[in-house]
Amino acid sequence: YKVGDVARDFSLKNVDGKTVSLSDFKNQKGAVVIFTCNHCPYSVAYEDRIIELHNEFAAKGYPVVAINPNDPVRQPEDAFEKMKIRAKEKGFPFVYLADETQEITRAYGATRTPHVFLLKNDDGKMVVSYIGAIDENTEDASEVKEPYVADAINALLKGETPKIAVTKAIGCTIKWKK
């Protein structure tokens, strides 16, 4: 996807065993779709910030929807059973979905973990409003100067277009099925 594209609906399995669809969020102002995983050190470094994003913005209409894009054959740490363990250990307050066919990951064009696609609900259509990194500082959350996703959501909440709509996602490559 590019900024301005309409994201298609999907139905993926959540760590609680239930199926979650993008259309389940039709009463929200949007969604923060984040392709992330268990094993990648970048994803692990961002877990607390992803929880914070959800805690800050879900009540304002922008919940986090985390999707694990990786092939568990190529990366066993990202198997569904391990996703359930990780979500429980960290107390994820958001859904953590498995893209077992990798079809949704391909549709979005995600290439890294973590990779963010901020969607804005525009009359029932989820429109891509920001793509890229969570912020500019993987190593140290306390040193973040550019909270890209938070800034983009705050702009949308004010009825504005995000000033920065695309950044480079930094992280591990997605482990594609062979």
Side-chain angles (χ1 to χ4, degrees):
Y1 292 140
K2 294 183 189 74
V3 169
D5 286 350
V6 175
R8 62 176 252 210
D9 198 9
F10 57 71
S11 292
L12 300 172
K13 187 164 64 170
N14 187 23
V15 289
D16 65 3
K18 296 183 176 130
T19 299
V20 174
S21 299
L22 186 58
S23 58
D24 294 342
F25 299 92
K26 67 179 179 283
N27 295 327
Q28 300 287 341
K29 292 178 182 164
V32 186
V33 176
I34 304 177
F35 291 87
T36 189
C37 65
N38 292 352
H39 88 278
C40 172
Y42 294 91
S43 290
V44 172
Y46 274 107
E47 282 176 333
D48 290 338
R49 284 179 260 183
I50 294 170
I51 291 168
E52 286 171 26
L53 278 171
H54 181 81
N55 289 343
E56 180 176 351
F57 293 108
K60 296 176 183 175
Y62 285 92
V64 166
V65 178
I67 300 175
N68 184 339
N70 287 332
D71 175 14
V73 174
R74 293 203 46 216
Q75 183 44 260
E77 280 303 303
D78 291 330
F80 188 71
E81 289 306 312
K82 301 236 174 142
M83 287 173 62
K84 293 196 301 195
I85 293 166
R86 189 69 188 155
K88 190 172 183 183
E89 282 173 356
K90 289 297 290 184
F92 287 168
F94 46 80
V95 296
Y96 187 24
L97 312 174
D99 185 9
E100 292 171 343
T101 66
Q102 298 184 313
E103 181 184 350
I104 299 309
T105 307
R106 288 185 195 286
Y108 275 73
T111 57
R112 306 245 166 229
T113 55
H115 202 157
V116 178
F117 291 78
L118 174 60
L119 308 180
K120 176 184 170 222
N121 187 341
D122 187 5
D123 263 344
K125 292 187 184 115
M126 290 291 199
V127 178
V128 179
S129 299
Y130 168 83
I131 299 171
I134 292 168
D135 57 46
E136 91 300 347
N137 194 327
T138 304
E139 277 108 50
D140 190 348
S142 68
E143 294 291 319
V144 169
K145 293 184 180 36
E146 300 208 42
Y148 303 127
V149 174
D151 286 352
I153 296 169
N154 283 321
L156 293 177
L157 288 169
K158 290 187 218 154
E160 300 169 1
T161 301
K163 285 185 180 70
I164 298 173
V166 179
T167 60
K168 183 177 177 20
I170 306 292
C172 301
T173 58
I174 288 174
K175 308 310 176 241
W176 298 105
K177 291 178 187 243
K178 292 191 174 174

